Amino acid sequence: MIETFAIPAVGAIIIKKVEGDEYILVQNRKKNNGDGMDGLLEIPAGKIREYENIFEALRREVYEETGLHLTTIQGEEVSHFLDVTGNKTIMFSPYCVTQNLSGAYSIILSTFLCEADGDLLEQTNETENIRWMKREALKEIVDNSPESMFLMHVHALRKYLG
């Protein structure tokens, strides 16, 4: 029997405030891989490459999917590195960790709270309808229509939105 392992992934709840209102960056999936999840609402996220620093993976995925540059990743400032005889590790504390227990593919997603700047892309080869959504509108969707979202993001968004 061949063992299969969960894939590490990273996601970003990107927050901005404008004139007292809070917005969160969302997008619609467009993977075109036949997994039946195209069109679902999601936050920027993606898989971590082998030996890639989790914070660099997050920056890369956010940029690839949105065109934004992360300016703040909550928790990055208290991460720690260790190098013992050429074996390097990093200790970090994400905002939320979610594990997929069944479905399309097995991933463990570490989600961070972030801020970013730059200009949004209109779409990418993996996303479309990239936009800032008011906190209250997103909370309504998360609370009342979780089936319209990529399920891996629901726990982190519920935790954040309260």
Side-chain angles (χ1 to χ4, degrees):
M1 177 182 200
I2 298 174
E3 286 185 296
T4 305
F5 299 94
I7 300 166
V10 65
I13 297 175
I14 304 173
I15 304 148
K16 84 171 180 178
K17 294 186 180 181
V18 178
E19 298 178 3
D21 289 322
E22 185 175 299
Y23 295 83
I24 297 170
L25 190 72
V26 296
Q27 58 200 25
N28 294 95
R29 287 176 70 85
K30 188 183 86 169
K31 305 292 186 191
N32 298 321
N33 59 6
D35 65 7
M37 292 185 266
D38 280 359
L40 293 178
L41 191 65
E42 67 175 1
I43 59 174
K47 297 176 185 110
I48 302 169
R49 295 175 178 155
E50 186 175 28
Y51 298 118
E52 185 177 28
N53 173 313
I54 193 165
F55 298 109
E56 294 308 313
L58 186 58
R59 285 184 179 89
R60 175 183 53 77
E61 285 292 343
V62 166
Y63 182 74
E64 288 173 0
E65 292 187 4
T66 70
L68 297 181
H69 298 276
L70 292 180
T71 57
T72 304
I73 303 172
Q74 190 177 87
E76 183 176 26
E77 71 282 356
V78 294
S79 62
H80 294 280
F81 294 89
L82 182 62
D83 184 341
V84 177
T85 63
N87 293 299
K88 298 177 183 177
T89 63
I90 182 174
M91 182 279 300
F92 57 90
S93 297
Y95 177 72
C96 183
V97 177
T98 306
Q99 180 183 2
N100 189 9
L101 297 176
S102 65
Y105 47 88
S106 180
I107 63 174
I108 297 175
L109 176 69
S110 296
T111 303
F112 293 86
L113 300 180
C114 305
E115 294 176 353
D117 65 14
D119 297 320
L120 288 177
L121 299 172
E122 289 185 27
Q123 70 177 43
T124 71
N125 63 340
E126 296 183 349
T127 61
E128 59 189 3
N129 199 16
I130 305 162
R131 66 207 181 272
W132 293 101
M133 183 177 282
K134 275 193 170 183
R135 177 190 180 103
E136 297 79 18
L138 183 56
K139 183 172 176 23
E140 179 79 18
I141 294 168
V142 170
D143 289 345
N144 298 314
S145 303
E147 70 282 355
S148 68
M149 301 196 65
F150 184 58
L151 188 58
M152 292 301 294
H153 303 307
V154 173
H155 287 297
L157 287 168
R158 280 187 174 159
K159 180 180 177 182
Y160 180 74
L161 297 168

